Amino acid sequence: MIIKVRTGGDRDRDGLTAAEIELRLLEFGFVEGARVEVLHEGPIGGDPIAVRVDGIRIALRRAEAMNVVLAPEAA
Amino acid sequence: MTSSRIDTVALVGNPNCGKTALFNALTGGRQKVANYAGVTVERKEGIATLPSGRRLRILDLPGTYSLRARSPDEAITRDAVLGRLADEPAPDVIVCVADATNLGLVLRLALELKTTGLPMVFVLNMIDIAERQGIDIDFEALSRELGAPVTATVATRKRGLETLLELAASQAEGMRASPPSGWREPSATEVRAAHRQARELMRAAVQPPSRPDTLTGRLDSVLLHPVGGVAILLGLLFLMFQAVFTWAAPAQDLIEAGFGALGVGAAAVLPDGWMTGLVVDGLIAGVGSVLVFLPQILILFLFILLLEDSGYMARAAFLMDRIMGGAGLHGRAFIPLLSSFACAVPGIMSTRVIDSRKDRLTTILTAPLMTCSARIPVYTLIISALIPNRTVGGVLSLQGLVMFSLYAAGILSALLVAFLIRKVFWRGGSELFMMQLPDYKRPEPGNVLRNLAQKAWAFISRAGRIILPLMVLVWALSSWPAPPVGAQGPAIAYSAAGRLGHWLEPIFAPIGFSWEMVVALIPGMAAREVAVAALGAIYAVGGEEGALAGILSRQWTLACGLAFLAWYVFAPQCIATLAVVRRETGGWLWPAVMFGYMLGLAYAAAFLVFQASRALGLA
Ligand SMILES: Nc1nc2c(ncn2[C@@H]2O[C@H](COP(=O)(O)OP(=O)(O)OP(=O)(O)O)[C@@H](O)[C@H]2O)c(=O)[nH]1
Ligand SMILES: [Mg+2]
């Protein structure tokens, strides 16, 4: 389960501000309380990854995924 | 009812929820539908007629997750919804289209759309799939919570359309003067709040699937396997090029024989003289030499359409992301680049899904290096003329292998060029990449066939509109002026084309091009395959008999054929591509850059290949 979605930290790049990265993660459904499951990893260096977020399959790069803090779900 | 003004209904929703399928069903349109996010990148409009005779103007828009547009395609949706387009007010009604199997994200979008103050209808599309999965949706609860009527459709089966139109029409009645929009960019806190609200809605109105789709998960565990998945992707691409080369042969022979007979028939009917020359050598030989490639182009498109409609495209993008990222390309560049295998023009347009301008420009500049279908005639002609029809290792055809390596050369050079652009011109890390992976679907036969017919027709009508008139020109220039009395050598050498070719020949001598090849390059500026037609006409006027491939195998050395192939891997010869680059980048700078760098590469590659193969004794 997601416990926190952070801003993109100090990674202001290419007109993409840290806050923008957070907003985009949010718009794709990475929001506190959502259930996340990692489904697949890419062929090179395990990047990108495919995850299921509340039933929706999404591919994203690890760099962005680092802003999503997860906690194991209490059984 | 006679209303002087037609109400406008905008279809808005997440990518890949079926907006365009719905648009086509409502308006009888023929816009492209495929199973991946980001198919529609333009605003399209059409007219739907209600049973009452009342008409509604329907807008199809690019999919988006939010009105806070980031990429150029999303900006089109935002501007259309908010009435920011110069020549158009805001729509009268928004139809928020949802994929009924995936409601989480669209409910949040619907809440955001509500803040515009426009009347809204919420439509649960793909309700067939939701029913199959046993997803139970309480329409009344949804409608109450959203404050908008809710209905369901199956766009691909044209179910539920009338109800939708009635609802949209009555919503348009409700509010005449459009209210000032209350929309502004939501902050992160507001997005979180909207998500919470959307989740409450889900809990209240939607029962999770009792028979969830397990097919997608099972297929993905194979197709996205780190090793197996990549092997399958490469295998698919290889199969595609082998098929283009081998499956088309019977149909091609048939078309070739048809044009041959047509030429003989025309020669018998027409009076001797220049008329016969024009019709037989110019038109039939020229246009025929291009139309024989129709079967190959259809096979290529069939493969691409099946990949697109099944949902595999997004997986291919996933597998390729790291490799593309290594070259500095955006993850979403894969789909534009892959559709450039068919034609760079739609490929370049679909780069609108890429948000960063630099990433988008890099993709635009490299897209024409992908081997487009117009190169197929050039490649196949020369391969079948000069490469022996042998098998390698018992199963693979040598000709297919050469074809595959030409495609590989295009891909590798695109990666290399992208890499150089990123390293030399604009540095910086690669962009954000997030993409929904759609559920696999069985491709719709009707959709695939309709698309295929459209492509076939486009190819044939191009032969009529562009190739035919150019062939008249090529034929005239290579027939006149007639040689002076007592002249030595073939008549064509004295014609305008012959003189021009001989005059330009020294420039092309280092890359091994004969004057016929040089002349063919010029009308080939209009479109790549025209070069083939021009070669057909030039050799026919020059008195060569038989199929063009046979003529080339007598006239060309292997070194010079390989150089010609190398030229065409890079040749910037397509006016339509340059025009679309101008439109998408808003100026002549980037088309000029593209033309220049591709021309340079074409010359350099042909030079290297020609000199190397001569050194190896292939001359
Ligand atoms: N089973 C089923 N499939 C549908 C339905 N509507 C659309 N599809 C399929 O869903 C996929 C996406 O449809 P599109 O119309 O291209 O989606 P879109 O919303 O226009 O997508 P973008 O233009 O990328 O935003 C296609 O493969 C369609 O065949 C439906 O009602 N039922
Ligand atoms: Mg669409």
Side-chain angles (χ1 to χ4, degrees):
Chain A
M1 198 167 86
I2 295 184
I3 54 168
K4 180 141 188 62
V5 179
R6 293 190 299 217
T7 62
D10 53 352
R11 302 181 327 119
D12 266 26
R13 349 154 275 201
D14 230 14
L16 252 194
T17 63
E20 173 63 28
I21 294 175
E22 178 191 5
L23 267 174
R24 281 223 243 158
L25 283 167
L26 287 172
E27 282 165 5
F28 267 86
F30 290 93
V31 64
E32 285 79 1
R35 283 207 171 75
V36 177
E37 183 189 347
V38 177
L39 299 171
H40 307 281
E41 298 187 347
I44 304 173
D47 201 20
I49 55 175
V51 297
R52 198 203 320 264
V53 188
D54 275 347
I56 298 167
R57 277 189 192 76
I58 289 170
L60 78 167
R61 291 187 180 150
R62 280 182 184 268
E64 278 81 50
M66 293 315 269
N67 297 315
V68 180
V69 184
L70 298 180
E73 210 156 319
Chain B
M1 195 174 88
T2 53
S3 97
S4 53
R5 176 174 159 284
I6 303 184
D7 289 314
T8 302
V9 176
L11 301 177
V12 187
N14 291 159
N16 208 40
C17 64
K19 298 174 295 300
T20 305
L22 200 55
F23 173 84
N24 286 349
L26 290 171
T27 65
R30 295 165 159 240
Q31 298 306 320
K32 178 164 177 176
V33 170
N35 191 12
Y36 61 88
V39 180
T40 307
V41 292
E42 285 178 294
R43 169 190 167 285
K44 291 281 177 193
E45 64 172 80
I47 298 287
T49 312
L50 276 75
S52 67
R54 178 169 171 187
R55 282 143 50 96
L56 289 173
R57 202 158 68 103
I58 313 284
L59 296 187
D60 182 26
L61 296 167
T64 184
Y65 293 98
S66 150
L67 283 183
R68 202 183 53 85
R70 280 290 311 183
S71 48
D73 62 328
E74 293 174 1
I76 292 172
T77 303
R78 177 197 61 204
D79 293 345
V81 170
L82 300 179
R84 291 187 185 167
L85 294 175
D87 43 357
E88 190 176 301
D92 300 287
V93 182
I94 295 177
V95 167
C96 179
V97 186
D99 169 352
T101 62
N102 254 330
L103 283 172
L105 297 183
V106 71
L107 284 173
R108 198 205 61 76
L109 177 65
L111 293 171
E112 188 178 339
L113 289 171
K114 285 294 286 182
T115 66
T116 63
L118 292 167
M120 185 168 86
V121 177
F122 191 78
V123 48
L124 296 156
N125 189 39
M126 308 202 193
I127 199 74
D128 54 331
I129 305 180
E131 278 165 2
R132 200 184 321 138
Q133 296 181 0
I135 299 175
D136 194 15
I137 302 170
D138 181 346
F139 285 29
E140 263 158 41
L142 257 189
S143 171
R144 202 169 44 240
E145 299 293 323
L146 280 173
V150 175
T151 182
T153 55
V154 183
T156 44
R157 302 260 173 282
K158 297 192 192 308
R159 264 169 49 194
L161 303 182
E162 264 181 36
T163 321
L164 170 61
L165 285 174
E166 301 286 358
L167 283 176
S170 69
Q171 284 293 95
E173 289 306 306
M175 231 178 299
R176 263 291 143 213
S178 48
S181 170
W183 183 83
R184 59 189 173 73
E185 280 210 7
S187 67
T189 324
E190 286 165 322
V191 174
R192 284 189 169 92
H195 263 303
R196 263 195 300 280
Q197 207 182 334
R199 189 163 314 146
E200 288 303 313
L201 255 168
M202 283 284 274
R203 202 163 301 147
V206 184
Q207 291 296 317
S210 55
R211 297 177 293 278
D213 161 54
T214 56
L215 176 72
T216 299
R218 276 180 294 150
L219 275 177
D220 269 349
S221 61
V222 178
L223 296 177
L224 290 184
H225 188 271
V227 182
V230 176
I232 292 173
L233 174 63
L234 291 178
L236 272 175
L237 291 179
F238 191 76
L239 177 72
M240 178 161 107
F241 299 129
Q242 287 275 320
V244 162
F245 218 90
T246 50
W247 298 357
Q252 277 191 294
D253 291 345
L254 219 64
I255 298 178
E256 202 154 68
F259 273 95
L262 194 65
V264 173
V269 180
L270 291 168
D272 261 1
W274 66 267
M275 263 295 282
T276 315
L278 170 62
V279 173
V280 177
D281 297 342
L283 301 187
I284 298 180
V287 174
S289 57
V290 169
L291 282 186
V292 290
F293 295 102
L294 183 62
Q296 291 185 315
I297 283 168
L298 289 185
I299 290 175
L300 179 75
F301 276 115
L302 180 66
F303 266 88
I304 293 184
L305 286 171
L306 289 177
L307 293 183
E308 285 183 346
D309 220 20
S310 62
Y312 185 72
M313 228 41 157
R315 273 70 186 187
F318 178 87
L319 292 171
M320 294 298 292
D321 176 64
R322 194 58 192 269
I323 297 170
M324 311 244 310
L329 282 165
H330 191 282
R332 301 210 52 185
F334 181 80
I335 289 168
L337 291 180
L338 201 97
S339 43
S340 299
F341 278 123
C343 174
V345 172
I348 285 169
M349 287 189 52
S350 61
T351 61
R352 288 185 187 178
V353 301
I354 299 174
D355 26 33
S356 131
R357 181 169 163 79
K358 288 174 177 174
D359 282 330
R360 185 159 171 243
L361 265 175
T362 313
T363 313
I364 289 178
L365 286 176
T366 47
L369 291 175
M370 295 300 171
T371 303
C372 68
S373 59
R375 286 182 179 91
I376 291 182
V378 182
Y379 286 180
T380 0
L381 171 71
I382 289 160
I383 289 174
S384 60
L386 298 171
I387 307 290
N389 188 6
R390 277 210 317 262
T391 54
V392 184
V395 276
L396 302 174
S397 92
L398 180 61
Q399 297 185 330
L401 271 178
V402 173
M403 189 80 164
F404 183 70
S405 43
L406 288 170
Y407 274 84
I411 297 168
L412 290 179
S413 55
L415 292 177
L416 204 68
V417 168
F419 184 75
L420 289 177
I421 293 177
R422 291 301 302 205
K423 282 284 167 270
V424 178
F425 297 106
W426 40 75
R427 288 150 175 284
S430 51
E431 255 271 6
L432 200 90
F433 167 67
M434 269 192 257
M435 185 185 59
Q436 213 173 326
L437 298 173
D439 286 351
Y440 289 103
K441 287 201 182 76
R442 196 168 47 79
E444 295 274 334
N447 185 28
V448 171
L449 285 180
R450 198 188 52 222
N451 272 309
L452 209 55
Q454 266 178 14
K455 302 291 181 204
W457 178 242
F459 185 72
I460 295 171
S461 73
R462 230 154 77 112
R465 277 180 302 117
I466 301 177
I467 302 178
L468 203 72
L470 277 172
M471 279 313 101
V472 176
L473 193 71
V474 170
W475 175 81
L477 289 178
S478 40
S479 302
W480 277 295
V485 207
Q488 303 284 314
I492 195 170
Y494 296 91
S495 68
R499 282 166 206 262
L500 182 67
H502 284 296
W503 183 66
L504 286 173
E505 208 177 357
I507 305 177
F508 290 91
I511 62 175
F513 285 15
S514 69
W515 73 264
E516 289 97 340
M517 295 159 82
V518 176
V519 171
L521 292 183
I522 298 169
M525 280 304 302
R528 293 179 175 87
E529 74 267 31
V530 180
V532 166
L535 281 174
I538 294 166
Y539 283 111
V541 174
E544 296 286 340
E545 302 276 336
L548 186 52
I551 299 172
L552 296 190
S553 66
R554 292 195 296 276
Q555 296 272 342
W556 291 18
T557 62
L558 182 56
C560 118
L562 291 177
F564 200 69
L565 289 175
W567 172 275
Y568 264 97
V569 171
F570 300 103
Q573 286 169 314
C574 174
I575 288 176
T577 303
L578 295 172
V580 79
V581 173
R582 196 198 82 88
R583 198 182 72 194
E584 297 292 310
T585 60
W588 283 110
L589 171 67
W590 293 108
V593 169
M594 177 185 280
F595 187 82
Y597 101 79
M598 290 182 72
L599 194 67
L601 278 181
Y603 195 92
F607 179 80
L608 285 178
V609 166
F610 181 66
Q611 299 298 343
S613 34
R614 265 218 318 206
L616 291 172
L618 298 177

